[in-house]
């Protein structure tokens, strides 16, 4: 599949490199030109065991980087993997995610209205954020109708620093939040099929709010163990 990923930080780069290793053609979109140049030269912009080798192998080939959001139109789905830091009062900062969703929507203005593009929220967001905030931004910026020319799904990440590549390639679960959008489910299944084909990975197919909540519940459980 052709996959685009908005954001080339810790999560975005790991996901991009691992998807390229699975055989997908991946393009990352980032506003930092140094990061773009680094990825195209086969150099990982973040340090993580196993990541350097993957980026060296696929960078500039199956894994490309650009600062042009127009690249998303040439792909089947776009992951939003942007930072969502917390404010002092505990609220998460959605500025980067909102900007990314809006930019993806603007890029989709030129998309085939009879086609279908899937936008996937990968970052950690409060339950209800995708439905109430991010999906409407894509719709407003694109002028397209959600559920027709594009869909929005939630696929939370469960990557730990120091073992992110291992966590991606050997997941203990996959969560697909689509609110019953069969086209979205089909695309998410296709993206992860190389993982699912090799091993019996528990897969949860649920609503978007529920998928967002599963990520928070997972974080709370890990915090309690610590």
């Amino acid at each position: 599949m052709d996959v685009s990923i908005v954001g080339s930080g810790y999560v975005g780069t790991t996901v991009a490199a691992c998807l390229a290793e699975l055989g997908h053609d991946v393009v990352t979109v980032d506003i930092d030109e140094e990061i773009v140049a680094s990825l195209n030269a086969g150099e990982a912009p973040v340090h993580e065991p196993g990541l350097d080798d993957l980026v060296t192998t696929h960078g500039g080939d199956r894994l490309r980087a650009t600062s042009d959001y127009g690249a998303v139109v040439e792909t089947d789905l776009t992951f939003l993997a942007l930072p969502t830091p917390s404010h002092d009062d505990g609220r998460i900062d959605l500025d980067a995610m909102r900007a990314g969703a809006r930019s993806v929507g603007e890029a989709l203005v030129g998309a085939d209205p009879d086609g279908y593009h899937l936008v996937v929220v990968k970052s950690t967001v409060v339950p209800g954020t995708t439905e109430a905030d991010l999906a409407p931004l894509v719709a407003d910026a694109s002028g397209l109708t959600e559920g027709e020319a594009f869909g929005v799904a939630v696929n939370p990440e469960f990557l730990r620093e120091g073992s992110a590549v291992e966590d991606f390639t050997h997941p203990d679960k996959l969560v697909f939040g689509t609110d019953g959008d069969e086209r979205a489910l089909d695309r998410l299944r296709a993206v992860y099929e190389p993982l699912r084909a090799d091993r019996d990975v528990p897969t949860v197919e649920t609503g978007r709010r529920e998928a967002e909540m599963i990520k928070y519940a997972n974080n709370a459980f890990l915090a309690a163990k610590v």
Side-chain angles (χ1 to χ4, degrees):
M1 294 183 71
D2 292 311
V3 179
S4 51
I5 300 177
V6 177
S8 299
Y10 172 76
V11 172
T13 300
T14 300
V15 172
C18 289
L19 288 178
E21 178 70 6
L22 292 179
H24 299 297
D25 289 316
V26 185
V27 57
T28 67
V29 182
D30 201 285
I31 60 174
D32 190 323
E33 293 288 357
E34 289 187 9
I35 289 178
V36 169
S38 176
L39 283 169
N40 285 328
E43 300 172 358
V46 295
H47 298 290
E48 181 67 28
L51 185 59
D52 286 345
D53 289 341
L54 293 181
V55 175
T56 297
T57 299
H58 302 294
D61 183 19
R62 188 171 285 163
L63 170 59
R64 298 178 295 107
T66 181
S67 57
D68 181 8
Y69 271 87
V72 307
V73 182
E74 305 301 322
T75 63
D76 300 300
L77 76 165
T78 302
F79 286 99
L80 294 178
L82 292 158
T84 54
S86 296
H87 292 289
D88 291 339
D89 61 2
R91 293 180 300 109
I92 65 171
D93 187 338
L94 288 173
D95 286 352
M97 287 293 285
R98 287 171 176 149
R102 189 177 298 108
S103 294
V104 168
E106 291 170 351
L108 292 178
V109 170
D112 181 357
D114 295 324
Y116 178 83
H117 190 87
L118 180 61
V119 181
V120 184
V121 176
K122 195 72 173 170
S123 303
T124 302
V125 296
V126 173
T129 298
T130 299
E131 178 183 355
D133 202 331
L134 302 179
L137 281 172
V138 177
D140 289 346
S142 66
L144 301 173
T145 301
E146 182 188 355
E148 295 180 6
F150 77 93
V152 182
V154 177
N155 172 225
E157 54 86 12
F158 303 100
L159 307 178
R160 299 166 297 173
E161 288 192 35
S163 62
V165 172
E166 176 70 14
D167 290 342
F168 185 96
T169 54
H170 296 82
D172 63 353
K173 59 183 171 297
L174 292 170
V175 178
F176 302 156
T178 64
D179 288 346
D181 182 342
E182 285 301 323
R183 289 184 294 180
L185 272 175
D186 286 344
R187 295 215 174 165
L188 285 171
R189 289 168 183 156
V191 166
Y192 288 100
E193 181 57 30
L195 287 180
R196 288 151 52 92
D198 290 342
R199 58 186 65 87
D200 185 19
V201 181
T203 303
V204 179
E205 297 179 354
T206 187
R208 297 184 300 198
R209 285 175 176 263
E210 289 79 5
E212 292 164 331
M213 190 64 208
I214 287 171
K215 171 61 175 175
Y216 269 89
N218 190 86
N219 286 359
F221 174 71
L222 293 177
K225 287 181 67 177
V226 172

